[in-house]
Amino acid sequence: MKRAPVFHGETDLPVLLPAARRLARRAERERLAGGPLPRLKARHGLWLLAILLLSAGVAQAQADAQVKESVITAIFKWMPVLLQGFIFNIAISFLAMVIGTAVGAVLGLMQISLLPPVRFGSWFVTQFFRNAPWLVLLFFCMFLLPFEFDLGFATIPFPDWVKATIGLALPVMANVSEIVRGAVQSLPSGQWEAAESLAFSRRQTLWEIILPQCVKRMLPPWMNLYAILTMATVLASIVGVSEMMTQTGRALAAENRPELLIPFYSFVLICFFAYCYPIAVWTRRLERRYQVKL
Amino acid sequence: MTSPDPTWTPDQPIIQCRDVHKSFGQLEVLKGISMDLMKGDVVCVIGPSGSGKSTFIRCINALTPMDSGSIKVEGQEVNDPRLDKLALRRKVGMVFQQYNLFPHKTALENVMMAPIKVLKEDKRQVEERARALIRKVRLEGKEDSYPGELSGGQQQRVAIARSLAMRPDVMLFDEVTAALDPETVKEVLVTIRQLAEEGMTCILVTHEMGFAREVAGHIYFTDRGVIVEHGPPATFFTEAKDPRTKEFLSQIL
């Protein structure tokens, strides 16, 4: 969508002059990128490092550190294993989001259907999964789904992580469904009336006029949901998937050094923070940007 | 679905309303409205707010379903469950108080959308016609502007062009100047007057008495769901008989 260019940083106000060049450069970069850039600064990283070092220091002080390797070395040693787990978390979150969004979008559209049975059915499914604890859904999928599907000619294996992904996709689906319904209903009724009076059919109105406008409204809550989902993927450790929390637990068990508990779990926290915080920042910016232009 | 009445000929009323009733819950907003329009007629419907003017014209293109009575557009009955609403709305254009342009499309795209998607016409021909319509409402240069970048009066003129792009036989205007500031009212009225002079059949719900007097061939005064009085503007404004009409006119003029 084309919009009138806003030239940030062009000013002749004396108070603003010191910052003008910096703002103009930034605006130029954003124009080239076609959108707002995350404003991650060195201090964000410093904070993270400080938390890590602090926790490491506390742990170090608790340990009798003569024979054993330092906490930092231990973290470095286990890092590949832990990060592998983290990648697994992200993969699960991605897949669950894709499945949840696809099914949830259909469910959301069914919620605005003109046919009462369709509308009521999808409303019920949405409410049921939206108001269920994620962990319970996860357990249900773990124990209800078979470990493989036999199609006669081929057998599809159903490992634990796939079941966990499906388990997490269910609440995502329900939330996406509500996001779609909410966005469609938040548009002024005048849009529907204008389309109707121009002889658009209901389907055309929805696809040509209503939904394109809804995408903007849906994006921030959808990204928010993704961040929440990513943080919820650690629930899969409870059902035995080898993601980051499970791997951390294993590493700690192998080391058998209580003073490593806090640094290791801090490392997990930092990984999630580093991944989810930019999403949160990005979401807030999109929200602010779309707020003005509606 | 009912097809257009084959027996209808242009010398019969293009719109024929008989005893139209409509209630919202307990509130009866239309208590038997009757009106005939010939092709090329321009009529204004005036009256206090809440008198059912808007509801009435929304019944004509089936945006609001009526409870009982009959409206025939080119002989086609609107109060019929088998009515092909889309066919009816291709013949009847409507412009709203709040413009209701599609904010994610440019002015030109707003005008082109319905003919391309609904009438499935060729894109290049539609674009040519759309550009001509935008010139007609005197907005050349604004083709690529988004509604958010246009003033209220400009948006309303795009909305008129958007309706005209469907080549309707009748145009309904629902208080199209009510949301505009006084300076921009005029530019919209000029556009409507031009349409009226070209012979477009128009029903205008309006509060612009001066404009009604100037443009309308016939004026209907509605109050509490009934047509209290009607007549040509020359006599309507000066020789109103009903006390309710007199009171309304004295407040407004």
Side-chain angles (χ1 to χ4, degrees):
Chain A
M1 162 164 181
K2 211 174 69 184
R3 48 179 74 242
V6 179
F7 295 104
H8 296 288
E10 281 188 6
T11 178
D12 47 5
L13 283 177
V15 267
L16 290 179
L17 277 178
R21 188 172 301 165
R22 188 169 54 80
L23 289 174
R25 255 203 318 273
R26 174 170 186 81
E28 181 58 36
R29 275 207 309 277
E30 291 195 341
R31 245 197 313 281
L32 286 176
L37 297 166
R39 222 174 272 207
L40 275 182
K41 296 240 172 64
R43 68 184 153 87
H44 293 113
L46 282 179
W47 271 112
L48 291 177
L49 208 62
I51 295 170
L52 185 63
L53 288 176
L54 196 68
S55 59
V58 171
Q60 197 78 42
Q62 287 168 350
D64 48 329
Q66 289 138 342
V67 275
K68 290 166 195 164
E69 53 188 348
S70 78
V71 169
I72 302 290
T73 332
I75 289 184
F76 265 109
K77 193 176 76 189
W78 286 102
M79 205 182 259
V81 177
L82 301 188
L83 287 182
Q84 222 170 7
F86 186 57
I87 289 170
F88 209 15
N89 281 84
I90 293 179
I92 291 177
S93 74
F94 245 81
L95 260 176
M97 199 65 191
V98 169
I99 299 171
T101 303
V103 184
V106 175
L107 207 58
L109 290 179
M110 285 163 69
Q111 279 205 79
I112 49 172
S113 161
L114 289 180
L115 300 169
V118 175
R119 199 168 57 228
F120 180 75
S122 54
W123 171 83
F124 181 78
V125 172
T126 303
Q127 292 306 321
F128 183 80
F129 286 111
R130 222 166 86 92
N131 296 297
W134 292 32
L135 188 57
V136 179
L137 290 177
L138 210 53
F139 268 88
F140 252 97
C141 283
M142 277 300 166
F143 299 123
L144 277 186
L145 293 174
F147 65 93
E148 58 181 30
F149 264 130
D150 196 1
L151 292 178
F153 55 91
T155 318
I156 301 173
F158 243 46
D160 276 354
W161 70 270
V162 174
K163 293 198 225 171
T165 305
I166 296 174
L168 288 169
L170 287 174
V172 171
M173 166 197 83
N175 281 288
V176 168
S177 169
E178 275 299 276
I179 291 173
V180 171
R181 186 194 58 79
V184 169
Q185 289 184 348
S186 75
L187 278 193
S189 61
Q191 291 290 311
W192 285 95
E193 290 182 353
E196 269 179 72
S197 75
L198 287 167
F200 278 90
S201 67
R202 193 178 157 83
R203 177 186 290 258
Q204 282 174 326
T205 307
L206 201 57
W207 288 98
E208 304 284 343
I209 291 151
I210 304 297
L211 290 179
Q213 293 184 58
C214 285
V215 171
K216 264 187 173 185
R217 290 168 186 238
M218 292 188 290
L219 210 50
W222 184 77
M223 285 166 63
N224 198 16
L225 181 62
Y226 177 67
I228 292 172
L229 167 67
T230 309
M231 292 183 265
T233 52
V234 292
L235 289 176
S237 70
I238 301 174
V239 289
V241 178
S242 302
E243 48 69 72
M244 195 178 203
M245 275 297 273
T246 316
Q247 300 292 65
T248 310
R250 283 175 189 158
L252 286 168
E255 284 283 344
N256 198 19
R257 286 164 63 192
E259 77 272 15
L260 289 181
L261 277 171
I262 293 174
F264 268 53
Y265 284 119
S266 300
F267 180 69
V268 177
L269 279 180
I270 286 166
C271 285
F272 275 94
F273 182 82
Y275 187 71
C276 293
Y277 181 66
I279 299 178
V281 172
W282 191 271
T283 309
R284 217 169 44 227
R285 287 160 159 264
L286 282 179
E287 262 168 9
R288 219 177 305 148
R289 185 162 128 199
Y290 293 153
Q291 214 170 26
V292 193
K293 175 113 185 170
L294 272 178
Chain B
M1 299 216 174
T2 54
S3 48
D5 184 356
T7 61
W8 181 80
T9 51
D11 56 329
Q12 291 169 325
I14 191 164
I15 292 182
Q16 188 179 52
C17 308
R18 287 290 173 273
D19 200 27
V20 176
H21 285 262
K22 173 71 190 177
S23 301
F24 291 112
Q26 292 294 305
L27 182 72
E28 195 175 19
V29 285
L30 298 180
K31 302 170 186 164
I33 301 273
S34 300
M35 183 185 289
D36 279 357
L37 255 80
M38 299 303 289
K39 190 162 175 46
D41 277 356
V42 176
V43 305
C44 282
V45 182
I46 61 172
S49 3
S51 62
K53 316 178 292 280
S54 289
T55 308
F56 169 62
I57 68 166
R58 290 164 62 94
C59 284
I60 297 177
N61 72 348
L63 220 47
T64 301
M66 70 192 101
D67 294 340
S68 65
S70 153
I71 295 178
K72 281 183 178 165
V73 177
E74 295 184 353
Q76 185 182 0
E77 177 57 60
V78 176
N79 190 12
D80 178 345
R82 293 166 304 147
L83 166 76
D84 181 354
K85 284 184 189 168
L86 301 186
L88 169 74
R89 289 172 187 155
R90 271 177 229 146
K91 290 186 290 193
V92 183
M94 184 159 188
V95 184
F96 300 86
Q97 180 177 344
Q98 295 298 341
Y99 338 128
N100 298 343
L101 290 180
F102 307 134
H104 60 305
K105 300 278 181 186
T106 63
L108 186 67
E109 287 167 341
N110 261 283
V111 178
M112 288 171 61
M113 227 176 152
I116 291 175
K117 301 287 177 192
V118 176
L119 303 178
K120 313 271 183 229
E121 288 181 18
D122 176 62
K123 197 176 166 197
R124 243 169 306 157
Q125 287 173 5
V126 172
E127 181 168 346
E128 214 170 288
R129 200 164 84 230
R131 286 188 187 279
L133 280 168
I134 287 191
R135 268 198 303 281
K136 184 185 173 131
V137 297
R138 283 159 297 106
L139 282 174
E140 49 273 78
K142 298 287 182 191
E143 287 88 348
D144 297 324
S145 301
Y146 284 91
E149 299 160 359
L150 299 173
S151 75
Q154 291 171 331
Q155 287 192 55
Q156 193 58 291
R157 283 182 282 156
V158 175
I160 294 173
R162 179 175 71 172
S163 264
L164 291 175
M166 293 290 282
R167 283 185 285 226
D169 296 337
V170 181
M171 285 286 282
L172 308 173
F173 294 90
D174 188 5
E175 303 199 31
V176 289
T177 56
L180 299 174
D181 41 327
E183 304 99 88
T184 49
V185 165
K186 208 176 151 209
E187 61 194 34
V188 173
L189 294 184
V190 168
T191 305
I192 298 175
R193 183 194 299 143
Q194 191 187 346
L195 273 182
E197 281 163 1
E198 286 168 8
M200 173 65 78
T201 313
C202 298
I203 302 182
L204 296 126
V205 168
T206 186
H207 290 292
E208 299 289 329
M209 293 307 143
F211 180 71
R213 186 199 296 240
E214 207 181 315
V215 166
H218 212 82
I219 291 179
Y220 291 84
F221 173 70
T222 61
D223 189 21
R224 283 169 239 162
V226 292
I227 293 174
V228 177
E229 199 163 353
H230 64 92
T235 54
F236 179 85
F237 285 103
T238 48
E239 297 160 31
K241 291 174 200 79
D242 193 278
R244 273 190 282 177
T245 320
K246 281 184 190 161
E247 192 195 334
F248 178 74
L249 291 177
S250 70
Q251 278 168 1
I252 242 171
L253 290 178

